[in-house]
Amino acid sequence: MIFKLEHSINERVKLPEKYGVELYIKREDRIHSFISGNKYRKLKYNLQEAQHLGFKTLLTFGGAYSNHIAAVAAAGKAFNFKTIGVIRGEELQNKINQNPTLSFAKNEGMQFEFVTREAYRNKTSESFLNHLENKFGSFFVIPEGGTNDLAVKGCEEILNKTDKDFNFICTAVGTGGTMSGLINASNQNQQILGFPALKGDFLKEDISKFVSKSNWKLIIDYHFGGYAKINEDLIGFINRFKADSNVPLDPVYTGKMMFGIFNLIENGYFPKGSKILAIHTGGLQGISGMNTLLKKKNLPLIK
Ligand SMILES: *Cc1c(COP(=O)(O)O)cnc(C)c1O
């Protein structure tokens, strides 16, 4: 068995009493220093499967700031797999050192295949995968973002028995794998709320493929214009939240989720007496990359 994963701690987030609700945050960001949060959960059974099938190499796909790329690189190093990252954007080839995510992944031993955006769209075509196999030898493919049946199974382990007391469980959503695992592990009387980090009209359908319950809902008002798009309101919120609670949030996923939760609390969305659990899915490695972009735009930085 290559993985031993503990349950993470729920920390109380202080809120003004007038709201009449309790908010806790599950620190999945703390389960490993480099294989962060939900990415670790999603990789667990995929890596076991790869090992079981005798693969020595993992191959996956992602953008220049991808938490998934960083996690696969680190997991490969930790569990003795070679790793290959197919990266969207040919131009990044010469900019690895300026990009904290790619430099980190390279340091963990990941080899890269940089491709044009057009080639990236066809990244799972047979001809492209054959080309990669000729170049790198055989490999176990982990999908972009890491979501498949085995990933959902891993995410079912985020919740434990004592979490049954919560009325609402909230998570950020990218591909929906994490949310699917939470839904499968939930009780029928709990509501799972997903906060998409992007305009994802396809998400409802995608999640439905992995779940059979109906106690869930996507809250689609807090994507801030799209994936990895942020503004000064969000930066201000993330910095205040850290100053008040000592919990860092990432700008792409957990910051948007928590912004949304606070907004809903202020608007009286949750009935009085509700106990809310927000999953901290990690992603903190993305802060320095985002700060590089913010600096160029002369915007305030994430502290
Ligand atoms: C990848 C990621 C998500 C999205 O997870 P999905 O399973 O793709 O929905 C959420 N939060 C963080 C921090 C992530 O890195």
Side-chain angles (χ1 to χ4, degrees):
M1 182 80 90
I2 49 178
F3 279 77
K4 207 170 144 235
L5 270 183
E6 307 296 333
H7 285 296
S8 49
I9 308 167
N10 297 339
E11 285 175 6
R12 176 103 186 241
V13 178
K14 280 218 180 75
L15 292 173
E17 227 160 86
K18 64 176 176 188
Y19 295 127
V21 301
E22 288 178 33
L23 174 62
Y24 288 78
I25 183 162
K26 185 179 280 294
R27 297 298 303 273
E28 288 280 297
D29 58 312
R30 307 282 293 272
I31 55 181
H32 190 280
S33 345
F34 301 121
I35 320 172
S36 172
N38 66 340
K39 298 300 184 284
Y40 204 161
R41 301 281 178 194
K42 292 169 85 167
L43 285 171
K44 174 179 169 182
Y45 290 108
N46 276 291
L47 267 61
Q48 284 186 7
E49 177 76 358
Q51 195 182 52
H52 177 71
L53 296 174
F55 284 97
K56 302 268 186 289
T57 305
L58 309 171
L59 180 134
T60 196
F61 315 90
Y65 299 96
S66 163
N67 294 331
H68 172 67
I69 287 289
V72 170
K77 181 158 180 201
F79 301 109
N80 290 317
F81 291 97
K82 286 187 193 165
T83 53
I84 300 159
V86 178
I87 308 294
R88 184 179 61 234
E90 242 183 347
E91 73 286 357
L92 293 159
Q93 203 142 211
N94 309 314
K95 294 184 188 161
I96 297 174
N97 296 335
Q98 286 133 271
N99 178 298
T101 302
L102 295 178
S103 339
F104 169 80
K106 187 181 167 192
N107 236 343
E108 298 290 288
M110 184 174 259
Q111 284 178 278
F112 299 121
E113 175 81 358
F114 292 96
V115 299
T116 62
R117 279 158 180 78
E118 195 194 340
Y120 193 83
R121 274 193 289 278
N122 299 316
K123 61 188 174 298
T124 53
S125 70
E126 207 178 310
S127 62
F128 183 62
L129 290 176
N130 281 341
H131 157 76
L132 292 173
E133 216 159 55
N134 288 335
K135 187 163 174 183
F136 296 107
S138 70
F139 46 72
F140 183 85
V141 177
I142 301 174
E144 180 180 33
T147 289
N148 55 18
D149 287 330
L150 293 172
V152 171
K153 182 178 168 192
C155 291
E156 291 170 7
E157 297 174 355
I158 293 173
L159 296 177
N160 63 38
K161 284 202 187 85
T162 58
D163 297 329
K164 302 284 181 206
D165 292 345
F166 289 99
N167 309 102
F168 293 91
I169 294 161
C170 303
T171 186
V173 175
T175 61
T178 306
M179 183 170 183
S180 299
L182 293 169
I183 295 166
N184 289 341
S186 69
N187 268 1
Q188 205 52 257
N189 59 348
Q190 295 180 304
Q191 269 278 332
I192 315 300
L193 302 180
F195 295 77
L198 64 166
K199 294 184 204 163
D201 298 331
F202 49 87
L203 281 171
K204 205 169 165 190
E205 209 174 307
D206 286 358
I207 292 168
S208 302
K209 289 179 202 150
F210 293 109
V211 307
S212 53
K213 295 178 190 158
S214 53
N215 57 334
W216 57 279
K217 194 172 166 183
L218 291 172
I219 310 275
I220 56 169
D221 308 321
Y222 301 101
H223 58 64
F224 287 81
Y227 186 69
K229 299 231 164 76
I230 68 173
N231 63 23
E232 290 197 41
D233 281 353
L234 182 61
I235 300 167
F237 175 81
I238 289 171
N239 287 339
R240 273 196 310 282
F241 188 82
K242 185 172 174 190
D244 292 346
S245 67
N246 216 9
V247 179
L249 299 172
D250 85 292
V252 180
Y253 294 103
T254 55
K256 292 181 180 180
M257 168 195 68
M258 196 55 84
F259 186 103
I261 293 172
F262 268 59
N263 204 250
L264 293 178
I265 290 174
E266 280 159 8
N267 294 332
Y269 178 91
F270 300 101
K272 289 258 186 283
S274 294
K275 281 186 77 177
I276 306 159
L277 179 64
I279 312 296
H280 195 315
T281 40
L284 301 173
Q285 71 86 29
I287 293 176
S288 65
M290 182 61 81
N291 275 342
T292 318
L293 300 175
L294 292 173
K295 211 182 259 170
K296 278 188 198 149
K297 294 185 192 165
N298 250 328
L299 284 166
L301 303 188
I302 298 158
K303 296 199 179 90

